[in-house]
Amino acid sequence: MNEVLTASAGQEDDVDPDRAARGKPLGFVQGVPVYASGRAPAYLRTKAQLGAMRRKPAAGQQPAAYVYARWYGTRIALWDPQESVKMRPLSALQRRQMQQRRTCTGCGGVFPVPVWGMCGVCEDRAARRREDLRRRTCQDCGTVFQTPTPARSWGEGMCLACDERRERGRRVARSLAERSCRRCLVQLYPLTVWAAMSEREQAMAGSHCTACDREIERERAQAQMRADRARWDDLGPAITWAQKILADPDAYAVLDTETTGLTATARIVEIAVTTVSGTVLLDTLVNPGGEPIPAKGTAIHGITDAMVQDAPTFSKILPRLTEALAGRRIVIYNRAYDTGRLLWELHLHHQALGTVDFTKQPRYGTGRHAAAQAWLDAQEWEECAMEQYAAFYGDWHDYWGSYTWQKLRGGHRALSDTRAVIRRLEEMAAYPSPFDPVAEPAAA
């Protein structure tokens, strides 16, 4: 038994270190050991390494081991060089081609690896020569000069003659654009005169000719007509509503108020009522009962506490207001707000008389006197002019799903705002029907 162990130990000492594995296998694939990177026997070779020795795996030869690549974890087959066979010798043509791939076409030097044309030194030298030639060549006429062409108005690479010729062309194009219709220039010379102009020069080009003006106006009118027809269900009723009011202007009254704020208890500081024909029925400042006017309110309508100090209260002007509105239908821009302010003033008026008859139990300031509501119900209120004008204007808001309310822009004084409402009514009533034929613009 001791002799067997001694013999085995002697055989292990005789093993070539290059043929011994430098680590334990990670596993086996069909009986072939798989080593980590750097752990396989040193004598094994990859197929590429065999090719460098002009050898290849023999027919039917199996890999002696596998090894994982260090970075990618790819399994690579390793072969025993002694079992491989010699590759067929290279032909003269193959040797010549391999020699050409390793030879620099510039300096003729032969390198151990393919350079595929020029080496790095020759390539840098050629790049400098190309850059020098480019700088000495006019990019317009192609003339090669001894020295680099200077930078001109058209940039580097233009000779003096070509630069002057281009500049003359620019002056001619600019002069033509200033004296011509820019619409015609774009249509007739899109790649010549117009393309040669800068954005600033295009913006400074001449205005449209008479024919183009008529064509542009006709296209705009047709586009507007198509848009109006598409929303006629909203536009048509708004126009008809304004025409109905203007057909009998004395039967309609326009009312507007200015207040101390936008809260539910804001007080009226000015009120005006006019007929649609323009007759002023009421125009007065109103004392808000000692309630101060906030600076924000004064910044909007310009009414101060000093201006309303000696003005009549709402209770004193109520008979005049009732008389002005009697027998007339009332038009208000933002009707819900102004009627809310009137209802609050009427509530305070009847509350001051000592009665306690409310439409419902007061809660958080929401209670209103029954007589106040009765006065409001006795009036004939037209539809809100702001909502009608919003439908007429047609600025649709996708988020809210309705037309955007438009500012009145009457100056934020009661009388001027009533007149602004009348102007809006006239604008709506005079709007042409999109179903009528478009009249051609008159020739100049």
Side-chain angles (χ1 to χ4, degrees):
M1 186 66 177
N2 294 334
E3 294 177 357
V4 174
L5 294 176
T6 305
S8 300
Q11 291 176 0
E12 291 179 0
D13 293 339
D14 294 340
V15 174
D16 187 353
D18 290 341
R19 302 185 65 86
R22 287 170 286 183
K24 293 183 179 181
L26 300 178
F28 293 87
V29 176
Q30 297 180 355
V32 179
V34 181
Y35 294 96
S37 177
R39 297 299 181 181
Y43 76 99
L44 299 179
R45 297 290 184 268
T46 64
K47 190 175 291 187
Q49 291 172 337
L50 290 178
M53 300 164 54
R54 300 302 302 162
R55 300 183 69 86
K56 64 180 180 179
Q61 181 181 353
Q62 297 297 322
Y66 291 100
V67 66
Y68 283 114
R70 183 180 301 275
W71 299 111
Y72 303 103
T74 305
R75 194 171 62 198
I76 302 174
L78 299 178
W79 310 84
D80 189 346
Q82 295 180 358
E83 298 180 10
S84 63
V85 296
K86 291 185 178 181
M87 299 175 65
R88 186 176 58 185
L90 295 174
S91 64
L93 176 61
Q94 290 175 325
R95 289 194 298 271
R96 187 164 57 253
Q97 290 175 343
M98 293 178 64
Q99 180 77 4
Q100 289 176 353
R101 288 196 293 268
R102 294 187 292 109
T103 304
C104 174
T105 57
C107 62
V110 180
F111 295 86
V113 295
V115 293
W116 306 101
M118 291 188 191
C119 63
V121 176
C122 293
E123 182 61 36
D124 292 342
R125 188 182 301 114
R128 289 194 296 270
R129 285 198 299 266
R130 288 193 300 269
E131 178 64 19
D132 178 69
L133 180 62
R134 186 193 66 79
R135 297 182 60 189
R136 292 188 293 109
T137 303
C138 175
Q139 302 302 314
D140 191 37
C141 63
T143 305
V144 180
F145 297 89
Q146 295 296 326
T147 57
T149 57
R152 301 290 182 181
S153 59
W154 280 80
E156 184 181 0
M158 189 78 65
C159 67
L160 182 60
C162 292
D163 184 78
E164 292 178 350
R165 177 173 54 80
R166 287 289 186 94
E167 187 60 30
R168 286 196 301 270
R170 284 174 62 87
R171 288 197 297 267
V172 171
R174 187 163 52 247
S175 175
L176 178 61
E178 292 174 353
R179 293 181 289 106
S180 303
C181 169
R182 60 182 303 169
R183 181 186 175 97
C184 295
L185 280 176
V186 175
Q187 293 179 348
L188 299 179
Y189 310 103
L191 300 178
T192 55
V193 176
W194 189 257
M197 300 168 61
S198 64
E199 293 183 1
R200 182 173 180 272
E201 291 169 345
Q202 291 177 359
M204 296 172 60
S207 59
H208 298 132
C209 62
T210 304
C212 288
D213 280 336
R214 289 200 298 268
E215 181 66 18
I216 293 173
E217 181 61 25
R218 187 179 67 83
E219 293 175 356
R220 186 204 63 78
Q222 290 180 347
Q224 185 63 45
M225 180 183 297
R226 289 191 296 269
D228 292 343
R229 287 176 179 175
R231 64 180 198 92
W232 183 247
D233 291 343
D234 297 330
L235 177 62
I239 295 176
T240 303
W241 176 78
Q243 291 173 345
K244 176 196 70 173
I245 295 176
L246 291 178
D248 191 7
D250 290 329
Y252 293 86
V254 182
L255 181 145
D256 189 82
T257 64
E258 300 299 331
T259 62
T260 58
L262 300 176
T263 63
T265 58
R267 303 295 300 273
I268 295 176
V269 296
E270 187 178 40
I271 187 169
V273 180
T274 66
T275 63
V276 176
S277 60
T279 303
V280 179
L281 303 177
L282 177 64
D283 179 24
T284 179
L285 293 170
V286 180
N287 190 321
E291 181 175 337
I293 302 175
K296 292 182 179 179
T298 301
I300 295 175
H301 48 59
I303 301 174
T304 62
D305 293 330
M307 295 171 62
V308 299
Q309 182 177 1
D310 298 328
T313 63
F314 182 83
S315 298
K316 290 184 179 180
I317 67 167
L318 181 58
R320 295 170 55 194
L321 176 62
T322 305
E323 181 182 359
L325 301 180
R328 294 184 174 89
R329 298 190 63 84
I330 308 166
V331 180
I332 301 179
Y333 205 83
N334 196 355
R335 187 186 71 178
Y337 175 74
D338 283 299
T339 55
R341 298 306 92 241
L342 290 172
L343 182 59
W344 179 247
E345 291 289 351
L346 289 165
H347 165 72
L348 295 178
H349 165 72
H350 288 285
Q351 190 180 44
L353 296 179
T355 59
V356 293
D357 186 12
F358 290 92
T359 57
K360 60 180 180 178
Q361 186 66 27
R363 184 184 181 190
Y364 306 119
T366 60
R368 298 296 182 267
H369 201 282
Q373 188 66 49
W375 185 94
L376 210 65
D377 295 340
Q379 312 305 319
E380 299 183 31
W381 305 100
E382 270 294 329
E383 298 180 24
C384 179
M386 181 173 65
E387 295 179 0
Q388 292 292 324
Y389 187 79
F392 168 80
Y393 194 84
D395 185 9
W396 182 260
H397 200 294
D398 291 330
Y399 181 81
W400 297 112
S402 62
Y403 290 106
T404 304
W405 295 347
Q406 304 299 316
K407 293 183 179 181
L408 182 58
R409 303 188 186 283
H412 290 293
R413 292 301 296 266
L415 184 59
S416 62
D417 283 352
T418 59
R419 291 169 177 168
V421 173
I422 297 174
R423 290 195 297 270
R424 291 287 172 86
L425 293 173
E426 294 172 346
E427 177 187 353
M428 297 166 63
Y431 195 80
S433 172
F435 300 98
D436 296 337
V438 179
E440 294 293 335

